[in-house]
Amino acid sequence: MRSILITGGNGGLGSGIGRYFLEKDPEAKVWLGVRSNRSTAEALEAEFPGRCALIDLEVTSKESWETAVATITETDGRLDVLVNNAGLHRDHLLATMPDEVWSSVISANLDAVFLGCRAVIRPMMGQRFGRIINISSLSAILPPLGQTNYAAAKAGVVALTQTLAKEVARAGITVNAILPGYIATEALAHMDEDAAKRAKAGIPMRRFGTPAEVASAVLFLACHDAGYVTGSALKIDGGIF
């Protein structure tokens, strides 16, 4: 059985990735990292008893990461895949951006990825196998107005991914990033109909992506056959960039 940890496990993308693993890979044991909101994750756990479990994880806490990874490796004997999916955006023009808005977004999107990668590297090196997939954003390479904090964090995730990939390649660990564009999750739920129409008009495919379309790429990067793919930054954006 392959042991897989997905952060942000209660969100639309995190739970969608978890579901995709559970449905497509009969060997997958999925751990959904959650903090407070957990109703969606609990429903997935109930649907796949014995193959899906929730684990408390505050992604900005070193201690929380160490506890979660220790629990998983003690339970399953290994940790094969980490999907760093948890994130946060709080858009604000830089000239008037409060310090806390900057630091909270950097912490949730970049510091959390650093802490997660560092926490899993040791057990993965011991196994001589590991797959790390970091969910960045199209904002890393095509940043919109008002996202200096989010775009900087997600660009940092890409640079971290590419550097770490070189550091651990000889240990049988691959590290890749995915850069989603507009994906139909709760993150887009606030958009009114006119705003959604305008957004879709700027996408060559004229539609939003689905969590399953991101999850399929994650599943590929996590598989044994993708062992020569590392340090990549794969955009999934319907052709925007």
Side-chain angles (χ1 to χ4, degrees):
M1 182 169 284
R2 291 205 304 161
S3 183
I4 299 152
L5 172 58
I6 303 169
T7 69
N10 199 64
L13 188 54
S15 61
I17 293 170
R19 174 177 293 280
Y20 204 85
F21 269 104
L22 292 164
E23 291 180 344
K24 302 294 184 180
D25 182 0
E27 295 298 313
K29 164 73 176 297
V30 172
W31 294 81
L32 298 173
V34 293
R35 189 175 60 178
S36 54
N37 298 325
R38 49 181 69 210
S39 57
T40 302
E42 286 174 343
L44 196 60
E45 180 184 35
E47 188 176 345
F48 294 91
R51 294 185 57 216
C52 181
L54 274 58
I55 190 161
D56 291 327
L57 181 56
E58 170 48 73
V59 295
T60 61
S61 165
K62 171 188 173 183
E63 292 75 20
S64 184
W65 270 108
E66 291 174 348
T67 299
V69 170
T71 298
I72 293 169
T73 54
E74 288 169 8
T75 303
D76 293 347
R78 58 189 297 116
L79 175 54
D80 298 289
V81 180
L82 169 64
V83 182
N84 276 311
N85 166 73
L88 167 72
H89 72 85
R90 298 173 64 187
D91 298 354
H92 210 292
L93 295 177
L94 185 141
T96 56
M97 182 180 292
D99 292 351
E100 187 273 332
V101 171
W102 170 270
S103 60
S104 65
V105 170
I106 296 296
S107 179
N109 293 285
L110 182 55
D111 293 348
V113 172
F114 157 69
L115 292 171
C117 289
R118 189 175 64 176
V120 304
I121 285 299
R122 182 169 293 178
M124 287 183 175
M125 290 185 74
Q127 300 164 182
R128 305 296 294 179
F129 177 86
R131 298 284 186 262
I132 298 174
I133 299 101
N134 297 322
I135 306 299
S136 178
S137 169
L138 191 65
S139 293
I141 55 175
L142 191 66
L145 187 93
Q147 284 195 351
T148 50
N149 50 3
Y150 185 74
K154 290 301 191 179
V157 168
V158 173
L160 182 155
T161 297
Q162 294 172 334
T163 304
L164 180 59
K166 296 177 181 179
E167 294 179 3
V168 298
R170 293 181 66 184
I173 303 168
T174 66
V175 191
N176 293 286
I178 289 179
L179 284 61
Y182 288 99
I183 305 299
T185 65
E186 71 282 354
L188 297 184
H190 67 281
M191 296 181 74
D192 60 37
E193 187 175 349
D194 289 340
K197 286 181 179 179
R198 290 194 299 272
K200 290 175 183 177
I203 303 171
M205 288 189 176
R206 296 297 189 268
R207 66 175 179 86
F208 295 151
T210 68
E213 288 172 319
V214 176
S216 64
V218 175
L219 184 67
F220 166 70
L221 292 172
C223 76
H224 283 268
D225 290 344
Y228 205 57
V229 181
T230 196
S232 66
L234 173 64
K235 66 180 185 66
I236 302 177
D237 67 346
I240 295 174
F241 188 83

